[in-house]
Amino acid sequence: MTFEDFEPLLSRAHAHAHAFLGGLSQRFVGARAGREEMMAALDAPLSRHGEDPAAVLDLLARNVERGASACAAPRYFGFVIGGSLPVALAADWLVSTWDQNAGIHVISPLAAAMEEIAARWLLDLFDLPRESSVGFVTGCQMAHFTCLAAARHGVLRRAGWDVETDGLNGAPRVHVVASQEAHITVDVALRYLGFGTSALVHVESDAQGRMRADRLREILPALQGPVIVCAQAGNVNTGAFDPLREIADATRVHGGWLHVDGAFGLWSRASTALHAIADGIELADSWATDAHKWLNVPYDSGVAIVRNSTDHHDAMTSAAAYLVQTRGAERDAVDWVPEFSRRARGIPVYAALRALGHDGVADLVDRCCARARQFADRLSVEPGVAILTDVVLNQVLVRFGDEDELTRDVIAGVQADGTCWAGGTTWHGRAAMRISVSNWATSEGDVNFSTDAMLRVYRSLREKRAAASSR
Ligand SMILES: Cc1ncc(COP(=O)(O)O)c(C=O)c1O
């Protein structure tokens, strides 16, 4: 094997990446093609002898423009999708090039050291207990799984039960409490962990989507046995934070474990301006977040943080005779994450944090929040357009007119227009457009351009409806 084996293909890939990135901020933002077009372009019987690798790369690149959304582009406001910082993307290329199996230290002291350091930086950035342990997982879904596995271990250990050895059969019943507004990935993690969704006790939330701490205080005393409370720092629709200090106090009085879903909201901890919103978050026992959201590293990159590192370790660790494990002397990632073999996904996190520094992350977060307020300010002056909840972070919920159908049509019209992309949701039973600003590159001009497109679509639909009803 020589570099010459790789060079032509890597140069080709570089040229394709160059073309893609060069057009990213101008192109139609959504995906234009559907399954049919993509299958027609890509499907073929598996060939016997393979094909020219350069032609395969060209085939991929030829179809990305129509078949993929520009979700890394500055005018993509769907879901909560951060773009990629140039340094994080470049580091991610190196991760693929180096092809490290970052499961155990002996294979990659480099990856292990970067994850150890990035873990420490994250605890500093979030101002969370420095004794906490950190695992770099695929996303917030697996961060919940990891944290809640540690929680399951911890609360049952305190109840005299070793769940890792004896499983859940015959174990004391664990109650899990979460707000009605908890993200679906919390339910899924509970399913994976064998609790079943019937273990979940729902707490009402308020008009902004925050858990009602008064209702939690009423519910907890009625629950016998181990309790895990799941709170939220950043509602997926509104960006609202649960009252974390009150929830932490109530959970502590009851002897429970508090887990926080901070998929994007935990990054607010970097910002001085936003510090108050997450007051009390440091009192929790575990925290889940995504670096692929607000740190803007490429997919897939989540982070699981657990205050009690023994519970974390004991829930995750695995050992086998053929592995060269250091038993805590060095960092073996298998002790902190569900995966065994794994990508060195801590490296782009390290690179992004090193390049940005604390103030750079704060600036990224603050800029996105300012752009979200800009959306709300520009849209709310239009007659008939309503901003449904307080804009406290990077999320904006918008209604166009009184009928759900009009809001849904505006969303479809905006997606078809292609200037920007925003998705839909249902908020308190009514249709709403959901705007999430999570990309380092989104400028004031992007927001102006996008709100112009939204209002253009809205006005045109409103006029058509008015003309139709006057006929
Ligand atoms: C609040 C919240 N929790 C959890 C998740 C799940 O994150 P992931 O898709 O990285 O698993 C999301 C994703 O949007 C989210 O917004």
Side-chain angles (χ1 to χ4, degrees):
M1 182 186 93
T2 65
F3 178 62
E4 280 64 48
D5 294 323
F6 290 95
E7 207 282 326
L9 288 176
L10 291 183
S11 299
R12 213 173 188 95
H14 184 268
H16 286 314
H18 200 275
F20 178 79
L21 290 171
L24 195 56
S25 55
Q26 291 92 45
R27 59 160 276 192
F28 187 95
V29 176
R32 286 181 197 246
R35 177 179 186 276
E36 222 168 282
E37 185 180 329
M38 282 296 102
M39 292 304 279
L42 300 170
D43 198 13
L46 179 65
S47 70
R48 182 121 212 115
H49 302 295
E51 296 176 39
D52 171 28
V56 174
L57 276 190
D58 291 351
L59 172 73
L60 308 186
R62 213 170 32 250
N63 286 289
V64 71
E65 207 65 30
R66 288 187 57 78
S69 346
C71 52
R75 291 194 301 280
Y76 192 91
F77 305 109
F79 311 100
V80 186
I81 297 209
S84 285
L85 291 164
V87 68
L89 172 60
D92 204 61
W93 281 10
L94 293 178
V95 170
S96 292
T97 309
W98 296 336
D99 194 21
Q100 301 288 284
N101 182 338
I104 49 176
H105 180 271
V106 71
I107 303 175
S108 191
L110 170 95
M114 286 199 192
E115 292 194 354
E116 184 179 331
I117 298 162
R120 202 178 65 232
W121 286 346
L122 286 174
L123 295 178
D124 281 348
L125 186 77
F126 298 146
D127 197 12
L128 294 180
R130 304 305 192 269
E131 72 272 20
S132 306
S133 45
V134 179
F136 293 90
V137 292
T138 52
C140 202
Q141 174 68 82
M142 290 317 286
H144 287 325
F145 174 82
T146 305
C147 292
L148 292 172
R152 182 181 70 165
H153 181 90
V155 297
L156 284 173
R157 178 176 54 76
R158 283 186 243 151
W161 187 267
D162 179 354
V163 70
E164 309 314 326
T165 306
D166 298 320
L168 280 177
N169 286 336
R173 184 181 169 87
V174 178
H175 295 280
V176 187
V177 184
S179 92
Q180 304 171 305
E181 286 287 333
H183 195 269
I184 186 64
T185 48
V186 171
D187 293 41
V188 174
L190 295 176
R191 270 176 19 217
Y192 292 168
L193 288 163
F195 287 128
T197 41
S198 69
L200 194 53
V201 183
H202 279 122
V203 187
E204 285 161 57
S205 48
D206 68 12
Q208 302 293 324
R210 296 172 297 218
M211 185 195 287
R212 282 185 48 187
D214 59 325
R215 292 292 298 128
L216 177 70
R217 281 191 291 269
E218 284 164 23
I219 287 169
L220 284 177
L223 303 177
Q224 299 300 312
V227 168
I228 300 169
V229 176
C230 300
Q232 189 162 243
N235 179 295
V236 74
N237 282 310
T238 67
F241 281 49
D242 290 343
L244 295 166
R245 184 170 294 280
E246 284 184 79
I247 292 171
D249 288 345
T251 308
R252 186 162 0 93
V253 166
H254 198 71
W257 176 294
L258 177 59
H259 171 66
V260 177
D261 178 349
F264 53 100
L266 195 53
W267 299 95
S268 70
R269 292 286 278 180
S271 156
T272 314
L274 290 168
H275 221 260
I277 197 177
D279 176 51
I281 198 169
E282 67 283 359
L283 302 173
D285 298 288
S286 58
W287 305 262
T289 192
D290 267 326
H292 61 218
K293 288 194 167 68
W294 232 350
L295 187 59
N296 281 201
V297 305
Y299 286 96
D300 38 24
S301 190
V303 186
I305 306 173
V306 182
R307 178 193 292 270
N308 184 321
S309 60
T310 307
D311 289 336
H312 187 179
H313 175 275
D314 291 356
M316 287 295 128
T317 191
S318 54
Y322 76 97
L323 295 178
V324 185
Q325 283 167 285
T326 60
R327 305 252 167 274
E330 315 289 354
R331 181 184 168 90
D332 288 314
V334 290
D335 290 335
W336 311 109
V337 297
E339 300 99 346
F340 200 58
S341 293
R342 60 190 282 279
R343 182 176 176 78
R345 63 175 60 87
I347 292 179
V349 175
Y350 173 94
L353 290 172
R354 185 143 194 163
L356 290 177
H358 191 132
D359 289 354
V361 182
D363 185 51
L364 165 55
V365 167
D366 287 339
R367 272 186 291 123
C368 290
C369 295
R371 298 289 93 84
R373 289 193 299 273
Q374 187 188 343
F375 260 114
D377 292 346
R378 290 200 94 216
L379 291 172
S380 61
V381 291
E382 177 75 9
V385 177
I387 306 301
L388 298 184
T389 54
D390 300 342
V391 179
V392 293
L393 205 66
N394 60 334
Q395 308 289 119
V396 189
L397 282 186
V398 195
R399 247 183 98 71
F400 295 88
D402 289 333
E403 308 151 37
D404 282 356
E405 201 192 340
L406 179 54
T407 295
R408 289 198 194 102
D409 287 350
V410 173
I411 295 167
V414 166
Q415 292 175 0
D417 170 82
T419 304
C420 64
W421 202 97
T425 190
T426 304
W427 183 247
H428 291 188
R430 309 293 305 276
M433 177 189 274
R434 207 178 145 275
I435 297 171
S436 174
V437 191
S438 324
N439 190 317
W440 66 278
T442 304
S443 66
E444 268 183 61
D446 287 314
V447 175
N448 290 340
F449 205 32
S450 302
T451 47
D452 286 351
M454 289 170 179
L455 292 175
R456 196 168 58 237
V457 170
Y458 166 60
R459 286 172 194 150
S460 140
L461 286 167
R462 200 182 49 188
E463 275 159 29
K464 276 189 202 142
R465 274 173 161 72
S469 67
S470 67
R471 252 184 247 132

